[in-house]
Amino acid sequence: MTSAANIRAVVLVEGTSDRTALLTLADRAGRDLSADGVEVVDMGGITNIRAFASHYGPGGLDLSLVGLYDTAQEEQLRRGLAAAGFETARLPDGPTRLGFHGCHADLEDELIRALGPDRVEAVIEAAGEGPSLRRLRGMPAQRDRPRVAVLRRFFGSRAGRKERYAALLVHALEPDRVPAPLVAVLGQV
């Protein structure tokens, strides 16, 4: 964990792909988050929210906190934030009031919905991994699954792929199609 030198706000995210997507999106908008005093911190999973919120929040370095999380993990987020002293997290709209914004299923789901499966597959083709996607789609366990489910499986099937495609998919987004949770987080820092 980092000291507070030159940092005014911290964005807590679950993993490297979330961090990559936010940094790429900020860069596309002409923002240098580091120069703005904003650090995007990969927590290595939502189970670490209490430790990071305690370190960076009012009980620690007392920095402004916002975050991005998967909605399936919302209860874990609420418990961790509350344990770190953010009692507002327990309220029905608590995470949002605290600046934490949920991705419907996960970041990849948000990006796939924003671009649509056809454009996502075009990005995969352009990255030279079309044959890998077609092999995956042809596997017996994947044949009857919806396209979106296969695409999400594709991103998670090789180390580093989620991070790589977070940047590629964000670059492929039209400015008016950026998923709301990403817009909200960057709008708060």
Side-chain angles (χ1 to χ4, degrees):
M1 293 186 204
T2 312
S3 73
N6 303 320
I7 301 172
R8 65 171 179 79
V10 173
V11 180
L12 298 177
V13 297
E14 291 189 38
T16 57
S17 62
D18 304 298
R19 183 176 189 280
T20 297
L22 286 170
L23 292 173
T24 302
L25 187 58
D27 186 59
R28 276 190 58 186
R31 284 188 70 190
D32 179 346
L33 292 180
S34 183
D36 289 347
V38 178
E39 182 172 355
V40 181
V41 177
D42 166 7
M43 298 184 295
I46 199 67
T47 57
N48 298 316
I49 186 69
R50 177 183 181 177
F52 282 87
S54 294
H55 177 74
Y56 289 109
L61 299 175
D62 199 22
L63 299 169
S64 174
L65 290 181
V66 298
L68 193 66
Y69 67 96
D70 300 342
T71 57
Q73 305 298 323
E74 186 169 310
E75 189 52 39
Q76 181 113 26
L77 173 85
R78 288 175 182 274
R79 283 194 312 268
L81 287 172
F86 295 91
E87 287 300 319
T88 302
R90 297 185 191 280
L91 299 175
D93 63 345
T96 303
R97 284 176 59 182
L98 291 169
F100 286 79
H101 302 277
C103 292
H104 183 268
D106 56 20
L107 173 69
E108 292 73 27
D109 177 66
E110 291 284 348
L111 293 171
I112 292 167
R113 287 187 300 123
L115 285 166
D118 290 340
R119 291 205 48 218
V120 171
E121 289 177 7
V123 169
I124 292 169
E125 285 289 341
E129 290 200 275
S132 293
L133 176 60
R134 287 188 288 281
R135 275 193 301 279
L136 176 65
R137 189 178 292 130
M139 292 180 177
Q142 304 299 322
R143 285 187 196 135
D144 295 328
R145 295 185 73 203
R147 283 172 78 191
V148 170
V150 174
L151 288 169
R152 288 182 64 215
R153 176 71 185 109
F154 172 80
F155 295 134
S157 66
R158 182 173 294 156
R161 193 177 266 167
K162 281 186 176 188
E163 184 177 4
R164 177 182 187 210
Y165 281 96
L168 292 173
L169 296 176
V170 166
H171 276 295
L173 286 170
E174 297 299 324
D176 65 338
R177 300 289 299 167
V178 176
L182 280 72
V183 171
V185 166
L186 287 178
Q188 290 185 264
V189 293

